[in-house]
Amino acid sequence: MTTLLKNASVLGGEPRDLAIDGGVLVDPASADRDSVETIDATGLVALPGLVDLHTHLRQPGGEQAETVASGVRAAAAGGYTCVFAMANTNPVADTPAVVEQVHRLGLEAGLATVRPIGAVTVGLAGERLADMTMLAGSAARVRVFSDDGKCVADAELMRRALEHAESLGAVVAQHAQDPHLTRGSVMHESPLAAELGLTGWPSVAEASIVARDAMLAELTGARLHVCHVSTLETVEVVRAAKARGIALTAEVTPHHLLLTEELVRSYDGRFKVNPPLRADRDVQALREALADGTIDIVATDHAPHAPEAKQTAFADAAFGMVGLETALSVVQQAMVETGLLDWAGVARVMSTAPAAIGSEPGYDAPLEPGSPAHVVLVDPAARSAVDVSRLHGRSTNSPFLGIELPGRVLHVWHGGRRTVADGRVQWIGEEAGR
């Protein structure tokens, strides 16, 4: 059966029809009108399925916070059709057995494609390289490597990782955090940190690592991706590196586009994240950098935690926030409603560019006949406060609880399969009813 989306505003443009049949987009004029399901998409924006280059699914080892199944449920609810799962699991994703397990669990869940990210170093210990060749040659076909959660601080080791990744046609995604400058740090280094009696996290701890790695990428000719840029200083380093022609890409999280260090006044562990929420000047710089292409993509850094990991003293709370379900709404508020991005720009930074960086073919295709049917319909006029019922994963450590955000994902198709209908995830499996 063909599904006809009538009068959809494709990438925010003039309304036109889209048709889905057999897992691909087809010419609406060729649809068999006797066997068509029609969806009135008037007033809705059609986007290519969202792609998240930075998701923590926790499995194996952290199932109390998230599983691959529950994580892709959250992803589908947020409009995602492909997510890249970070390697800081237990055991670490530094062997073919672990990345293939995550890959298989993603296939079983079926709501979104799950692409495992391989560790750069064995056990994320920063001492010796993981066997990147075996990870790339596994059934999981790893093309992104990262020790995210930890920085590859050893420059010689990072050089070797970049050289190896370049030979594999892969990319190294760096968690830029100088461990010597951030010992015991829990929030942005500023007068507010001193006022609150919390150890500050200087901006230079991020920017200095990015500067070093940019030079290593230039030396090796390899592709470098910078995770969760959070400071004005880092934006300036990224901009300078790109001006030199260095093969560097960068991401920003939704929470760093909207939230500031002022929220830490509450000492609420939901606002503790790595890197920390920064000052207003940093938020403005990040928005401008995303708008002008200095920062390439938005990535959620979805980081679920069990309640006890967050409901404690701020200094002792775990780092991280969930964000798959709210990412598109936050980007709409921070970038679209401020005039910094149009919906075509949103598609670029949340769909096509992350797919290209992650070497995931088909997810960077235009919404035209012949392309895989990865489609999201969002109602941009909807507004609602975020509550726990909006969160579909196993954890609820969202910084946006109680905050009104615009937009609502109504329908999602992943490879032609409808995964969200009228805002409800179409779920079959052990997580049903969650």
Side-chain angles (χ1 to χ4, degrees):
M1 175 181 285
T2 301
T3 301
L4 184 66
L5 314 181
K6 291 286 294 181
N7 299 318
S9 176
V10 179
L11 306 187
E14 288 299 313
R16 62 183 175 90
D17 296 347
L18 294 173
I20 299 170
D21 192 358
V24 297
L25 292 170
V26 298
D27 183 353
S30 68
D32 182 353
R33 300 292 165 162
D34 293 326
S35 60
V36 171
E37 176 194 17
T38 300
I39 294 175
D40 183 3
T42 303
L44 305 183
V45 173
L47 300 172
L50 305 187
V51 176
D52 189 15
L53 200 65
H54 191 150
T55 303
H56 296 274
L57 295 181
R58 301 302 187 207
Q59 193 175 12
E63 288 85 354
Q64 72 281 7
E66 195 79 285
T67 65
V68 172
S70 66
V72 296
R73 180 179 172 88
Y80 286 92
T81 54
C82 180
V83 296
F84 286 73
M86 278 294 176
N88 59 339
T89 50
N90 185 20
V92 170
D94 57 7
T95 65
V98 177
V99 295
E100 287 174 357
Q101 177 190 11
V102 174
H103 177 62
R104 174 179 54 78
L105 290 168
L107 291 174
E108 291 173 358
L111 290 171
T113 295
V114 176
R115 303 302 310 175
I117 292 175
V120 174
T121 68
V122 175
L124 308 185
E127 296 174 354
R128 58 191 177 94
L129 288 183
D131 193 329
M132 298 167 72
T133 299
M134 286 189 67
L135 294 170
S138 72
R141 199 184 61 83
V142 173
R143 291 297 180 270
V144 181
F145 294 89
S146 181
D147 276 6
D148 183 63
K150 295 184 179 180
C151 178
V152 182
D154 184 301
E156 192 271 338
L157 198 62
M158 185 63 175
R159 175 184 178 173
R160 287 170 50 206
L162 287 165
E163 289 172 339
H164 205 162
E166 195 278 333
S167 72
L168 297 170
V171 62
V172 176
Q174 173 70 294
H175 175 111
Q177 176 192 349
D178 187 316
H180 302 292
L181 290 172
T182 56
R183 287 195 184 99
S185 299
V186 296
M187 72 166 291
H188 178 55
E189 184 174 279
S190 66
L192 179 59
E195 177 187 337
L196 298 179
L198 297 172
T199 304
W201 187 307
S203 297
V204 69
E206 179 177 288
S208 61
I209 295 294
V210 176
R212 181 204 74 177
D213 288 351
M215 289 187 284
L216 291 175
E218 184 174 42
L219 174 67
T220 60
R223 291 195 296 141
L224 170 70
H225 181 71
V226 182
C227 295
H228 41 51
V229 172
S230 69
T231 74
L232 168 63
E233 289 81 3
T234 305
V235 166
E236 292 171 342
V237 171
V238 170
R239 187 173 284 126
K242 288 191 169 188
R244 288 177 63 89
I246 297 171
L248 179 152
T249 54
E251 72 189 33
V252 64
T253 72
H255 48 270
H256 285 113
L257 289 172
L258 194 60
L259 308 179
T260 72
E261 61 173 345
E262 284 295 321
L263 290 167
V264 180
R265 287 186 181 277
S266 66
Y267 293 100
D268 187 333
R270 288 184 301 118
F271 302 121
K272 185 179 179 183
V273 66
N274 180 344
L277 300 178
R278 302 290 188 176
D280 182 69
R281 63 144 201 168
D282 299 299
V283 170
Q284 299 308 315
L286 293 170
R287 291 182 181 185
E288 292 167 9
L290 184 64
D292 69 22
T294 300
I295 293 176
D296 301 85
I297 67 171
V298 173
T300 69
D301 194 8
H302 175 81
H305 289 289
E308 60 270 17
K310 283 293 191 177
Q311 295 171 2
T312 184
F314 189 87
D316 298 326
F319 290 101
M321 304 168 168
V322 295
L324 285 166
E325 295 100 330
T326 53
L328 185 57
S329 290
V330 173
V331 170
Q332 180 180 336
Q333 178 162 323
M335 301 300 297
V336 178
E337 295 189 352
T338 57
L340 291 170
L341 280 182
D342 57 15
W343 286 105
V346 172
R348 171 175 53 82
V349 302
M350 297 188 77
S351 300
T352 57
I357 293 168
S359 301
E360 191 60 22
Y363 289 85
D364 55 357
L367 292 179
E368 299 292 345
S371 295
H374 308 307
V375 184
V376 178
L377 286 180
V378 59
D379 180 0
R383 297 194 71 92
S384 61
V386 179
D387 61 27
V388 171
S389 68
R390 182 167 172 174
L391 305 180
H392 294 74
R394 287 192 168 184
S395 298
T396 59
N397 53 301
S398 169
F400 300 106
L401 293 177
I403 296 177
E404 185 179 82
L405 293 175
R408 185 186 179 206
V409 171
L410 290 181
H411 305 280
V412 182
W413 288 264
H414 172 234
R417 175 188 172 186
R418 196 169 178 186
T419 57
V420 177
D422 295 317
R424 295 181 178 274
V425 176
Q426 305 300 289
W427 186 255
I428 299 174
E430 62 177 329
E431 299 286 334
R434 171 68 180 90

